Amino acid sequence: NLSPSEVVPNQTLTIIGSGFSASATINASADASLISIGGNTTDLKAAAGTKSDKFNEDASITTDNGGNWSASLIIPINTTTTTTGTLQLKVKDNGGREGVVDLVIPDRTLIIDPVMSRVGTTVSVSGSGYPADNTKSGAETSPSVSIRYIVGSTTNTVATLTPDASGNVSGTFKVPLGATIPSTNSVRAVYTIPGTSTEITTSTVHDVPEASIVIEL
């Protein structure tokens, strides 16, 4: 069982297991336990590998005589968990018993308001589904989210946002003065997977209207 069952990368969830081996270990340094998400053990626990600091705040656990246990797990930020959708979380104890459960990585969103405005105007931006801010042991420093406004071949970084504990971002930016009039331009929210050069991008568009003249009689 998971709580919550929908999480963003770097967020903490609680796992409750039952039916596992009695008095078996999970996440001990040299045991044969395994923890994976979507088949990926990156930053988790590979069989007979080192323990994961994402599991139970860098501590191993021992199941009770009935094979029951509970622990926390921080969702790592990697190429698997930054792919939205349903992923299978698998935990196998040192005795070879394993349990599987589905967890959901929600879609990332990027919303701007207004979606059409002139150069130099202020636009509000918000989004969800980004890596969460998390201060627990084993969590990553939440990567900042860059808001990029693309004009032709020119990329303008117009804001840098920090996600909250639920992976939400919000802020404002100004439409670059160099934007073509009229034009439709890409607005992108971009963050980098920690320890890599892999960028995760979410996009929307912003329109700059054509010039207008109003004659008053």
Side-chain angles (χ1 to χ4, degrees):
N1 294 314
L2 300 181
S3 179
S5 59
E6 182 174 289
V7 287
V8 296
N10 212 41
Q11 194 169 11
T12 302
L13 57 77
T14 299
I15 313 174
I16 299 174
S18 61
F20 285 75
S21 305
S23 303
T25 59
I26 300 173
N27 200 44
S29 294
D31 73 9
S33 65
L34 179 144
I35 305 167
S36 66
I37 295 176
N40 190 346
T41 59
T42 301
D43 295 326
L44 294 172
K45 174 70 165 71
T50 57
K51 65 179 181 177
S52 170
D53 63 358
K54 308 292 184 189
F55 184 82
N56 210 39
E57 298 196 55
D58 200 24
S60 62
I61 63 165
T62 301
T63 64
D64 66 17
N65 290 335
N68 304 304
W69 59 276
S70 65
S72 62
L73 178 68
I74 297 170
I75 303 302
I77 310 173
N78 58 40
T79 54
T80 298
T81 60
T82 52
T83 301
T84 61
T86 300
L87 299 174
Q88 189 178 75
L89 168 64
K90 178 186 290 187
V91 179
K92 183 172 74 173
D93 64 35
N94 193 44
R97 298 294 301 272
E98 69 179 37
V100 294
V101 64
D102 287 340
L103 62 85
V104 177
I105 306 295
D107 290 338
R108 286 181 299 276
T109 65
L110 179 63
I111 300 170
I112 60 173
D113 183 35
V115 296
M116 177 183 288
S117 61
R118 299 194 179 281
V119 298
T121 58
T122 298
V123 176
S124 297
V125 58
S126 61
S128 62
Y130 299 88
D133 182 35
N134 194 336
T135 59
K136 289 186 177 294
S137 176
E140 301 284 351
T141 300
S142 180
S144 58
V145 177
S146 297
I147 305 300
R148 300 175 183 175
Y149 194 102
I150 315 300
V151 179
S153 61
T154 302
T155 298
N156 304 273
T157 299
V158 291
T160 301
L161 308 178
T162 301
D164 65 15
S166 298
N168 303 314
V169 293
S170 63
T172 61
F173 67 87
K174 288 187 180 296
V175 179
L177 297 177
T180 304
I181 303 172
S183 61
T184 297
N185 303 298
S186 176
V187 179
R188 302 173 186 172
V190 182
Y191 69 89
T192 302
I193 295 177
T196 76
S197 59
T198 302
E199 292 187 338
I200 306 300
T201 302
T202 307
S203 300
T204 188
V205 295
H206 176 265
D207 291 320
V208 176
E210 62 185 6
S212 62
I213 298 175
V214 176
I215 298 176
E216 295 184 359
L217 300 179

